[in-house]
Amino acid sequence: MKAVILAGGLGTRISEESSSRPKPMIEVGGRPVLWHIMKMYSHYGINDFVICCGYKGYVIKEYFANYFLHMSDVTFDMQKNSMEVHQGYAEPWKVTLVDTGEDTMTGGRLKRVAEYVKNEEAFCFTYGDGVSDIDIGATIEFHRKQGVQATLAAVYPPGRFGALDIAGHQVTTFKEKPKGDGGMINGGFFVLSPSVISLIKDDSTVWERGPLESLARDHQIAAFEHTGFWQPMDTLRDKNHLEELWSSGNAPWKSW
């Protein structure tokens, strides 16, 4: 099975980091968050990736072109103009990098890579800026049993602020960072039939609007409920939170 990853957006809400590189190339623990996402999928045997590039896409291309340099110790012999890689480790990945345009919307990016998934029974689809301890294998199996065109992971949004119950002028309960208001949201981990791409009109189509709304109306989208860890990297605060989790040695998404 293939996994399509959106990696072309501007990342305006984390401009402190994304001004010089695409948002998925912002590092957590010294590795791009895109790498973390690919490692998540690889843990479940998905090693064939289609990356939808856009804003500063050359940074992603250069990263994979020089993957050995990023991941291995090397010796450069300047006189002989040679390079020796020490203890080189290669991921079992096939990575297709597709320029899907700088201003293309999420649906439009998926439509632009239709050629690479048209013969698949189903494929995974996700954003290049969020990590989770979701069981991707279970999500795929769930999708197959539902007999629908699309499955999305339903998650609880991470809480950001302490919630108070107040009676008069007294705080009666305090709950630090509760998880949202009890409602589940789109967690961004999809399993899709290639047929859903026919619902995408052009580059201006936002995947989360027309196509998903149409699938919901036709009862062709199932929800795989995930109650574990899920964290997008929308802001610098989010990025720092992920860094802290990684540094602690207890990153919930690290399944490899």
Side-chain angles (χ1 to χ4, degrees):
M1 183 174 283
K2 295 184 178 182
V4 176
I5 304 177
L6 294 176
L10 292 173
T12 54
R13 285 184 288 179
I14 193 170
S15 58
E16 302 94 336
E17 294 273 353
S18 63
S19 59
S20 60
R21 53 187 163 176
K23 188 179 178 184
M25 295 304 291
I26 296 172
E27 294 182 352
V28 173
R31 299 280 185 269
V33 69
L34 176 62
W35 178 87
H36 289 265
I37 295 167
M38 294 170 72
K39 289 288 283 186
M40 285 168 46
Y41 277 100
S42 188
H43 175 73
Y44 292 96
I46 297 174
N47 296 303
D48 194 342
F49 298 96
V50 179
I51 311 296
C52 302
C53 301
Y55 171 71
K56 296 187 183 294
Y58 63 87
V59 176
I60 301 176
K61 291 179 180 178
E62 289 175 355
Y63 176 77
F64 286 106
N66 298 300
Y67 193 77
F68 272 126
L69 292 179
H70 292 284
M71 303 299 290
S72 308
D73 295 331
V74 296
T75 296
F76 293 99
D77 188 322
M78 310 307 285
Q79 188 173 14
K80 295 181 180 178
N81 191 28
S82 64
M83 178 183 76
E84 180 183 358
V85 177
H86 305 283
Q87 299 176 339
Y89 174 73
E91 303 284 357
W93 297 346
K94 177 181 178 182
V95 185
T96 301
L97 303 166
V98 183
D99 182 1
T100 57
E102 287 208 5
D103 301 318
T104 309
M105 296 293 101
T106 50
R109 293 191 190 283
L110 178 55
K111 188 176 183 69
R112 288 219 193 180
V113 300
E115 181 69 19
Y116 299 96
V117 296
K118 66 181 182 181
N119 295 322
E120 301 293 309
E121 174 196 353
F123 64 95
C124 293
F125 178 53
T126 194
Y127 307 109
D129 62 355
V131 290
S132 174
D133 62 357
I134 186 171
D135 187 330
I136 293 169
T139 308
I140 295 168
E141 187 61 28
F142 174 84
H143 172 77
R144 287 173 173 157
K145 290 179 178 179
Q146 299 307 305
V148 294
Q149 289 181 279
T151 292
L152 63 75
V155 302
Y156 289 106
R160 294 182 180 272
F161 307 102
L164 308 177
D165 286 332
I166 301 174
H169 296 294
Q170 297 293 316
V171 175
T172 57
T173 62
F174 179 87
K175 186 177 181 182
E176 180 64 12
K177 298 180 180 178
K179 286 195 170 185
D181 61 1
M184 302 190 88
I185 63 170
N186 168 24
F189 290 92
F190 298 90
V191 184
L192 305 174
S193 163
S195 61
V196 303
I197 298 176
S198 65
L199 300 172
I200 302 170
K201 183 179 178 182
D202 53 30
D203 284 356
S204 66
T205 301
V206 178
W207 166 247
E208 301 78 8
R209 294 179 188 164
L212 279 188
E213 291 169 354
S214 177
L215 287 166
R217 282 195 303 270
D218 294 339
H219 306 289
Q220 283 297 315
I221 184 165
F224 178 86
E225 296 188 13
H226 173 64
T227 57
F229 177 83
W230 175 81
Q231 179 65 58
M233 192 181 65
D234 288 331
T235 66
L236 189 58
R237 174 194 176 111
D238 295 333
K239 190 260 189 189
N240 291 337
H241 176 53
L242 293 175
E243 279 282 8
E244 290 169 4
L245 289 173
W246 185 264
S247 298
S248 73
N250 296 307
W253 69 91
K254 187 180 184 298
S255 54
W256 58 92

Short mmCIF file of all heavy atoms in Angstrom, two decimals, residues 11 13-18 20-34 36 128-131 158 160 229-248 251-253:
data_model
loop_
_atom_site.label_atom_id
_atom_site.label_comp_id
_atom_site.label_asym_id
_atom_site.label_seq_id
_atom_site.Cartn_x
_atom_site.Cartn_y
_atom_site.Cartn_z
N GLY A 11 2.64 26.98 5.91
CA GLY A 11 2.88 26.93 7.35
C GLY A 11 2.94 28.31 7.96
O GLY A 11 3.84 28.61 8.74
N ARG A 13 1.30 29.78 10.28
CA ARG A 13 1.16 29.92 11.73
C ARG A 13 2.41 29.51 12.49
O ARG A 13 2.47 29.63 13.71
CB ARG A 13 -0.05 29.11 12.22
CG ARG A 13 -1.37 29.78 11.88
CD ARG A 13 -2.55 29.01 12.47
NE ARG A 13 -2.78 27.76 11.77
CZ ARG A 13 -3.73 26.89 12.09
NH1 ARG A 13 -4.51 27.13 13.12
NH2 ARG A 13 -3.90 25.78 11.39
N ILE A 14 3.40 29.02 11.76
CA ILE A 14 4.68 28.69 12.39
C ILE A 14 5.79 29.31 11.55
O ILE A 14 6.82 28.71 11.27
CB ILE A 14 4.83 27.16 12.56
CG1 ILE A 14 5.99 26.80 13.47
CG2 ILE A 14 4.93 26.46 11.22
CD1 ILE A 14 6.06 25.35 13.88
N SER A 15 5.56 30.56 11.14
CA SER A 15 6.47 31.26 10.22
C SER A 15 7.87 31.44 10.80
O SER A 15 8.83 31.64 10.06
CB SER A 15 5.88 32.62 9.83
OG SER A 15 5.67 33.42 10.98
N GLU A 16 7.99 31.36 12.14
CA GLU A 16 9.33 31.46 12.74
C GLU A 16 10.24 30.36 12.21
O GLU A 16 11.46 30.54 12.12
CB GLU A 16 9.24 31.33 14.27
CG GLU A 16 8.36 32.36 14.96
CD GLU A 16 6.93 31.85 15.16
OE1 GLU A 16 6.51 30.95 14.41
OE2 GLU A 16 6.26 32.37 16.07
N GLU A 17 9.66 29.23 11.86
CA GLU A 17 10.44 28.09 11.37
C GLU A 17 10.28 27.88 9.87
O GLU A 17 11.19 27.40 9.20
CB GLU A 17 9.99 26.81 12.10
CG GLU A 17 10.30 26.78 13.58
CD GLU A 17 11.70 26.25 13.85
OE1 GLU A 17 12.36 25.80 12.90
OE2 GLU A 17 12.12 26.30 15.02
N SER A 18 9.11 28.20 9.33
CA SER A 18 8.81 27.84 7.94
C SER A 18 9.23 28.90 6.92
O SER A 18 9.02 28.71 5.73
CB SER A 18 7.31 27.55 7.79
OG SER A 18 6.54 28.70 8.08
N SER A 20 12.13 29.56 5.97
CA SER A 20 13.29 29.08 5.20
C SER A 20 13.14 27.64 4.72
O SER A 20 14.01 27.14 4.01
CB SER A 20 14.56 29.20 6.04
OG SER A 20 14.46 28.41 7.22
N ARG A 21 12.05 26.97 5.09
CA ARG A 21 11.87 25.57 4.70
C ARG A 21 10.39 25.21 4.78
O ARG A 21 9.63 25.86 5.49
CB ARG A 21 12.69 24.65 5.60
CG ARG A 21 12.44 24.86 7.08
CD ARG A 21 13.39 24.06 7.93
NE ARG A 21 13.42 24.55 9.30
CZ ARG A 21 14.10 23.98 10.27
NH1 ARG A 21 14.83 22.90 10.02
NH2 ARG A 21 14.10 24.49 11.49
N PRO A 22 9.99 24.16 4.08
CA PRO A 22 8.59 23.74 4.17
C PRO A 22 8.27 23.27 5.59
O PRO A 22 9.13 22.73 6.29
CB PRO A 22 8.50 22.56 3.19
CG PRO A 22 9.73 22.65 2.34
CD PRO A 22 10.77 23.30 3.17
N LYS A 23 7.03 23.46 5.98
CA LYS A 23 6.62 23.06 7.33
C LYS A 23 6.97 21.62 7.68
O LYS A 23 7.45 21.33 8.78
CB LYS A 23 5.12 23.31 7.48
CG LYS A 23 4.57 23.12 8.87
CD LYS A 23 3.09 23.42 8.86
CE LYS A 23 2.44 23.22 10.21
NZ LYS A 23 0.98 23.42 10.16
N PRO A 24 6.77 20.63 6.76
CA PRO A 24 7.11 19.25 7.11
C PRO A 24 8.60 19.01 7.33
O PRO A 24 8.98 17.95 7.82
CB PRO A 24 6.62 18.46 5.89
CG PRO A 24 5.54 19.31 5.30
CD PRO A 24 6.05 20.71 5.48
N MET A 25 9.44 19.98 6.97
CA MET A 25 10.88 19.83 7.17
C MET A 25 11.36 20.47 8.47
O MET A 25 12.55 20.45 8.78
CB MET A 25 11.64 20.42 5.98
CG MET A 25 11.42 19.69 4.67
SD MET A 25 11.81 17.92 4.77
CE MET A 25 13.59 17.98 4.95
N ILE A 26 10.43 21.03 9.24
CA ILE A 26 10.78 21.54 10.57
C ILE A 26 11.15 20.35 11.44
O ILE A 26 10.46 19.33 11.44
CB ILE A 26 9.61 22.33 11.18
CG1 ILE A 26 9.32 23.57 10.32
CG2 ILE A 26 9.92 22.74 12.61
CD1 ILE A 26 8.07 24.32 10.72
N GLU A 27 12.23 20.47 12.17
CA GLU A 27 12.78 19.31 12.87
C GLU A 27 12.23 19.13 14.28
O GLU A 27 11.98 20.08 15.00
CB GLU A 27 14.31 19.41 12.92
CG GLU A 27 14.96 19.31 11.54
CD GLU A 27 16.47 19.36 11.61
OE1 GLU A 27 17.01 19.62 12.72
OE2 GLU A 27 17.11 19.13 10.57
N VAL A 28 12.07 17.87 14.63
CA VAL A 28 11.78 17.44 15.99
C VAL A 28 12.82 16.39 16.33
O VAL A 28 12.93 15.38 15.63
CB VAL A 28 10.36 16.86 16.12
CG1 VAL A 28 10.15 16.26 17.51
CG2 VAL A 28 9.30 17.91 15.83
N GLY A 29 13.62 16.64 17.34
CA GLY A 29 14.67 15.69 17.68
C GLY A 29 15.73 15.55 16.61
O GLY A 29 16.32 14.48 16.45
N GLY A 30 15.96 16.62 15.86
CA GLY A 30 16.99 16.59 14.83
C GLY A 30 16.58 15.94 13.53
O GLY A 30 17.41 15.77 12.63
N ARG A 31 15.30 15.56 13.39
CA ARG A 31 14.79 14.96 12.16
C ARG A 31 13.53 15.70 11.74
O ARG A 31 12.72 16.10 12.58
CB ARG A 31 14.44 13.48 12.38
CG ARG A 31 15.62 12.61 12.80
CD ARG A 31 16.49 12.23 11.62
NE ARG A 31 17.53 11.30 12.00
CZ ARG A 31 18.75 11.65 12.40
NH1 ARG A 31 19.08 12.94 12.47
NH2 ARG A 31 19.65 10.74 12.73
N PRO A 32 13.32 15.89 10.44
CA PRO A 32 12.10 16.56 9.97
C PRO A 32 10.86 15.82 10.46
O PRO A 32 10.85 14.60 10.54
CB PRO A 32 12.21 16.49 8.44
CG PRO A 32 13.67 16.29 8.16
CD PRO A 32 14.20 15.48 9.31
N VAL A 33 9.82 16.56 10.76
CA VAL A 33 8.58 15.91 11.20
C VAL A 33 8.06 14.99 10.09
O VAL A 33 7.43 13.96 10.36
CB VAL A 33 7.52 16.96 11.63
CG1 VAL A 33 7.00 17.76 10.44
CG2 VAL A 33 6.37 16.29 12.37
N LEU A 34 8.36 15.29 8.84
CA LEU A 34 8.01 14.41 7.73
C LEU A 34 8.65 13.04 7.91
O LEU A 34 8.02 12.00 7.67
CB LEU A 34 8.45 15.04 6.40
CG LEU A 34 8.25 14.19 5.13
CD1 LEU A 34 6.77 13.91 4.91
CD2 LEU A 34 8.84 14.92 3.91
N HIS A 36 9.45 11.63 10.75
CA HIS A 36 8.74 10.97 11.85
C HIS A 36 7.45 10.32 11.33
O HIS A 36 7.12 9.18 11.71
CB HIS A 36 8.38 11.98 12.94
CG HIS A 36 9.56 12.46 13.74
ND1 HIS A 36 9.93 11.89 14.94
CD2 HIS A 36 10.45 13.45 13.49
CE1 HIS A 36 11.00 12.53 15.40
NE2 HIS A 36 11.33 13.48 14.54
N GLY A 128 1.49 16.49 6.32
CA GLY A 128 2.90 16.38 6.70
C GLY A 128 3.28 17.16 7.93
O GLY A 128 4.42 17.61 8.04
N ASP A 129 2.34 17.29 8.87
CA ASP A 129 2.66 18.11 10.05
C ASP A 129 2.04 17.60 11.34
O ASP A 129 1.90 18.36 12.30
CB ASP A 129 2.21 19.55 9.81
CG ASP A 129 0.69 19.67 9.62
OD1 ASP A 129 0.02 18.63 9.57
OD2 ASP A 129 0.19 20.81 9.51
N GLY A 130 1.67 16.31 11.39
CA GLY A 130 1.07 15.79 12.61
C GLY A 130 1.51 14.39 12.91
O GLY A 130 1.73 13.59 11.99
N VAL A 131 1.66 14.08 14.20
CA VAL A 131 2.09 12.73 14.60
C VAL A 131 1.08 12.15 15.59
O VAL A 131 0.34 12.89 16.25
CB VAL A 131 3.50 12.74 15.23
CG1 VAL A 131 4.55 13.04 14.18
CG2 VAL A 131 3.58 13.75 16.38
N PRO A 158 -6.13 18.17 21.19
CA PRO A 158 -5.38 18.35 22.44
C PRO A 158 -5.83 19.62 23.14
O PRO A 158 -6.09 20.64 22.50
CB PRO A 158 -3.92 18.46 21.97
CG PRO A 158 -4.02 18.92 20.55
CD PRO A 158 -5.28 18.31 20.00
N ARG A 160 -5.43 22.99 25.43
CA ARG A 160 -4.38 24.00 25.50
C ARG A 160 -4.40 24.80 26.80
O ARG A 160 -3.41 25.37 27.19
CB ARG A 160 -4.48 24.97 24.32
CG ARG A 160 -4.20 24.33 22.97
CD ARG A 160 -4.29 25.36 21.86
NE ARG A 160 -4.03 24.77 20.56
CZ ARG A 160 -2.81 24.65 20.02
NH1 ARG A 160 -1.76 25.06 20.68
NH2 ARG A 160 -2.67 24.11 18.83
N PHE A 229 -2.80 9.30 21.65
CA PHE A 229 -2.05 10.53 21.40
C PHE A 229 -2.24 11.01 19.97
O PHE A 229 -2.21 10.22 19.03
CB PHE A 229 -0.56 10.29 21.66
CG PHE A 229 0.31 11.48 21.36
CD1 PHE A 229 0.47 12.50 22.27
CD2 PHE A 229 0.97 11.57 20.13
CE1 PHE A 229 1.28 13.59 21.98
CE2 PHE A 229 1.76 12.66 19.82
CZ PHE A 229 1.92 13.68 20.76
N TRP A 230 -2.42 12.30 19.81
CA TRP A 230 -2.50 12.95 18.50
C TRP A 230 -2.08 14.39 18.67
O TRP A 230 -2.58 15.08 19.57
CB TRP A 230 -3.92 12.88 17.94
CG TRP A 230 -4.11 13.63 16.64
CD1 TRP A 230 -3.80 13.19 15.39
CD2 TRP A 230 -4.65 14.95 16.47
NE1 TRP A 230 -4.11 14.14 14.46
CE2 TRP A 230 -4.63 15.23 15.10
CE3 TRP A 230 -5.13 15.92 17.36
CZ2 TRP A 230 -5.08 16.45 14.58
CZ3 TRP A 230 -5.58 17.13 16.84
CH2 TRP A 230 -5.55 17.38 15.46
N GLN A 231 -1.16 14.85 17.85
CA GLN A 231 -0.67 16.22 18.00
C GLN A 231 -0.26 16.82 16.65
O GLN A 231 0.68 16.36 16.02
CB GLN A 231 0.53 16.26 18.95
CG GLN A 231 1.12 17.65 19.16
CD GLN A 231 0.17 18.60 19.85
OE1 GLN A 231 -0.29 18.33 20.96
NE2 GLN A 231 -0.14 19.73 19.21
N PRO A 232 -0.97 17.86 16.21
CA PRO A 232 -0.53 18.57 15.01
C PRO A 232 0.59 19.54 15.39
O PRO A 232 0.75 19.88 16.57
CB PRO A 232 -1.79 19.34 14.59
CG PRO A 232 -2.48 19.62 15.89
CD PRO A 232 -2.21 18.42 16.77
N MET A 233 1.35 19.98 14.40
CA MET A 233 2.40 20.96 14.64
C MET A 233 2.04 22.25 13.91
O MET A 233 2.63 22.59 12.89
CB MET A 233 3.76 20.43 14.18
CG MET A 233 4.94 21.28 14.66
SD MET A 233 6.52 20.65 14.06
CE MET A 233 6.33 20.91 12.29
N ASP A 234 1.05 22.94 14.46
CA ASP A 234 0.56 24.16 13.81
C ASP A 234 1.34 25.40 14.22
O ASP A 234 1.46 26.34 13.45
CB ASP A 234 -0.92 24.38 14.15
CG ASP A 234 -1.81 23.38 13.44
OD1 ASP A 234 -1.44 22.93 12.33
OD2 ASP A 234 -2.88 23.05 13.98
N THR A 235 1.84 25.41 15.44
CA THR A 235 2.48 26.61 15.98
C THR A 235 3.83 26.27 16.60
O THR A 235 4.17 25.09 16.78
CB THR A 235 1.59 27.25 17.08
OG1 THR A 235 1.52 26.33 18.19
CG2 THR A 235 0.18 27.54 16.55
N LEU A 236 4.58 27.30 16.94
CA LEU A 236 5.87 27.09 17.60
C LEU A 236 5.67 26.42 18.95
O LEU A 236 6.50 25.60 19.36
CB LEU A 236 6.59 28.43 17.77
CG LEU A 236 8.04 28.37 18.25
CD1 LEU A 236 8.90 27.55 17.31
CD2 LEU A 236 8.61 29.78 18.42
N ARG A 237 4.57 26.73 19.60
CA ARG A 237 4.24 26.07 20.87
C ARG A 237 4.10 24.56 20.67
O ARG A 237 4.61 23.76 21.47
CB ARG A 237 2.95 26.66 21.42
CG ARG A 237 2.41 25.96 22.67
CD ARG A 237 0.97 26.39 22.92
NE ARG A 237 0.40 25.66 24.05
CZ ARG A 237 0.09 26.19 25.22
NH1 ARG A 237 0.29 27.49 25.42
NH2 ARG A 237 -0.45 25.47 26.18
N ASP A 238 3.41 24.17 19.60
CA ASP A 238 3.25 22.74 19.30
C ASP A 238 4.60 22.09 19.03
O ASP A 238 4.87 20.97 19.48
CB ASP A 238 2.35 22.55 18.08
CG ASP A 238 0.92 23.02 18.31
OD1 ASP A 238 0.47 23.00 19.47
OD2 ASP A 238 0.27 23.40 17.32
N LYS A 239 5.43 22.78 18.27
CA LYS A 239 6.74 22.24 17.93
C LYS A 239 7.58 22.03 19.20
O LYS A 239 8.22 20.99 19.38
CB LYS A 239 7.44 23.21 16.98
CG LYS A 239 8.72 22.65 16.35
CD LYS A 239 9.96 23.14 17.04
CE LYS A 239 11.21 22.74 16.24
NZ LYS A 239 12.46 23.02 16.99
N ASN A 240 7.55 23.00 20.09
CA ASN A 240 8.31 22.89 21.33
C ASN A 240 7.78 21.75 22.21
O ASN A 240 8.56 21.06 22.88
CB ASN A 240 8.27 24.21 22.09
CG ASN A 240 9.05 25.31 21.39
OD1 ASN A 240 9.94 25.04 20.59
ND2 ASN A 240 8.71 26.55 21.67
N HIS A 241 6.47 21.56 22.18
CA HIS A 241 5.86 20.46 22.95
C HIS A 241 6.35 19.12 22.42
O HIS A 241 6.70 18.22 23.21
CB HIS A 241 4.34 20.56 22.86
CG HIS A 241 3.61 19.43 23.53
ND1 HIS A 241 3.83 19.07 24.85
CD2 HIS A 241 2.66 18.57 23.06
CE1 HIS A 241 3.05 18.05 25.17
NE2 HIS A 241 2.34 17.72 24.11
N LEU A 242 6.39 18.96 21.10
CA LEU A 242 6.87 17.72 20.51
C LEU A 242 8.35 17.50 20.83
O LEU A 242 8.79 16.37 21.10
CB LEU A 242 6.64 17.73 19.00
CG LEU A 242 5.18 17.69 18.55
CD1 LEU A 242 5.09 17.83 17.03
CD2 LEU A 242 4.50 16.39 18.99
N GLU A 243 9.12 18.57 20.81
CA GLU A 243 10.54 18.49 21.15
C GLU A 243 10.71 17.99 22.59
O GLU A 243 11.57 17.14 22.87
CB GLU A 243 11.21 19.85 21.01
CG GLU A 243 11.59 20.22 19.59
CD GLU A 243 12.85 19.53 19.11
OE1 GLU A 243 13.37 18.63 19.80
OE2 GLU A 243 13.32 19.87 18.01
N GLU A 244 9.91 18.52 23.49
CA GLU A 244 10.00 18.11 24.89
C GLU A 244 9.67 16.63 25.05
O GLU A 244 10.34 15.90 25.80
CB GLU A 244 9.05 18.96 25.73
CG GLU A 244 9.48 20.41 25.87
CD GLU A 244 8.41 21.28 26.47
OE1 GLU A 244 7.34 20.75 26.85
OE2 GLU A 244 8.62 22.52 26.56
N LEU A 245 8.64 16.17 24.34
CA LEU A 245 8.27 14.76 24.41
C LEU A 245 9.39 13.87 23.87
O LEU A 245 9.72 12.83 24.44
CB LEU A 245 6.97 14.51 23.63
CG LEU A 245 5.69 15.08 24.25
CD1 LEU A 245 4.53 14.92 23.28
CD2 LEU A 245 5.37 14.38 25.57
N TRP A 246 9.98 14.29 22.76
CA TRP A 246 11.06 13.50 22.15
C TRP A 246 12.28 13.46 23.08
O TRP A 246 12.88 12.41 23.30
CB TRP A 246 11.44 14.09 20.80
CG TRP A 246 12.45 13.26 20.07
CD1 TRP A 246 13.81 13.44 20.04
CD2 TRP A 246 12.19 12.10 19.26
NE1 TRP A 246 14.40 12.48 19.27
CE2 TRP A 246 13.44 11.65 18.77
CE3 TRP A 246 11.03 11.43 18.89
CZ2 TRP A 246 13.56 10.54 17.95
CZ3 TRP A 246 11.15 10.32 18.07
CH2 TRP A 246 12.40 9.89 17.62
N SER A 247 12.61 14.61 23.65
CA SER A 247 13.78 14.69 24.53
C SER A 247 13.60 13.86 25.79
O SER A 247 14.58 13.37 26.37
CB SER A 247 14.04 16.16 24.91
OG SER A 247 14.34 16.93 23.77
N SER A 248 12.36 13.69 26.21
CA SER A 248 12.08 12.92 27.43
C SER A 248 12.30 11.42 27.22
O SER A 248 12.36 10.66 28.18
CB SER A 248 10.64 13.16 27.88
OG SER A 248 9.72 12.49 27.02
N ALA A 251 8.37 9.76 23.58
CA ALA A 251 7.52 10.28 22.51
C ALA A 251 6.46 9.24 22.16
O ALA A 251 6.80 8.14 21.71
CB ALA A 251 8.37 10.60 21.28
N PRO A 252 5.17 9.55 22.36
CA PRO A 252 4.12 8.54 22.17
C PRO A 252 4.04 7.98 20.75
O PRO A 252 3.60 6.84 20.57
CB PRO A 252 2.84 9.30 22.54
CG PRO A 252 3.28 10.42 23.40
CD PRO A 252 4.63 10.81 22.87
N TRP A 253 4.44 8.78 19.77
CA TRP A 253 4.32 8.34 18.37
C TRP A 253 5.48 7.46 17.93
O TRP A 253 5.45 6.88 16.86
CB TRP A 253 4.21 9.55 17.45
CG TRP A 253 5.46 10.37 17.35
CD1 TRP A 253 6.48 10.21 16.44
CD2 TRP A 253 5.89 11.44 18.20
NE1 TRP A 253 7.49 11.12 16.67
CE2 TRP A 253 7.14 11.90 17.74
CE3 TRP A 253 5.30 12.09 19.30
CZ2 TRP A 253 7.83 12.95 18.35
CZ3 TRP A 253 5.99 13.15 19.90
CH2 TRP A 253 7.23 13.56 19.43
#
